[in-house]
Amino acid sequence: MKRLFWKPEKLLVLAGLALSVILCRVFQIPCLFKAVLGIPCATCGMTRAYIALLHFDLRSAFAYHSLFWAIPILVLLFWFDGKLFPKAWQNIALLSSILALFLFRWIILLL
């Protein structure tokens, strides 16, 4: 029970991801997916959505990326080893639903 919240290896992964997003934003590094393939990635607009959210502008956050709310859920799933709910099928259903929403939004974006 002691390691429930103190997971240094996972904290390092999350800190690395956050740092990479911050560095890309500060140095204005474009999305590599879009730069290489010429199409937006499934998470294009996510950084702008969180910046809008930090300014308490919920409407703009949804306009930039309507699934910004799903990232904290995915982080919790990662943090708790995919076990937010007692039954495995519930966790799989949650993850599958979020991934399906990202795919659906991406397809709409590409049209």
Side-chain angles (χ1 to χ4, degrees), residues 17-46:
L17 286 173
L19 182 63
S20 66
V21 169
I22 290 168
L23 289 175
C24 286
R25 181 73 181 165
V26 167
F27 294 110
Q28 298 180 347
I29 298 170
C31 174
L32 292 178
F33 189 91
K34 190 171 185 176
V36 171
L37 298 177
I39 57 175
C41 69
T43 61
C44 275
M46 193 67 75

Side-chain angles (χ1 to χ4, degrees), residues 32-88:
L32 292 178
F33 189 91
K34 190 171 185 176
V36 171
L37 298 177
I39 57 175
C41 69
T43 61
C44 275
M46 193 67 75
T47 303
R48 288 175 290 171
Y50 277 105
I51 290 171
L53 192 63
L54 288 174
H55 289 261
F56 301 104
D57 188 359
L58 198 57
R59 182 176 295 187
S60 292
F62 269 104
Y64 286 128
H65 200 292
S66 55
L67 295 175
F68 70 90
W69 55 268
I71 299 301
I73 296 171
L74 293 173
V75 168
L76 285 173
L77 274 168
F78 170 73
W79 192 264
F80 293 110
D81 300 322
K83 299 172 188 162
L84 286 181
F85 300 108
K87 298 186 181 195

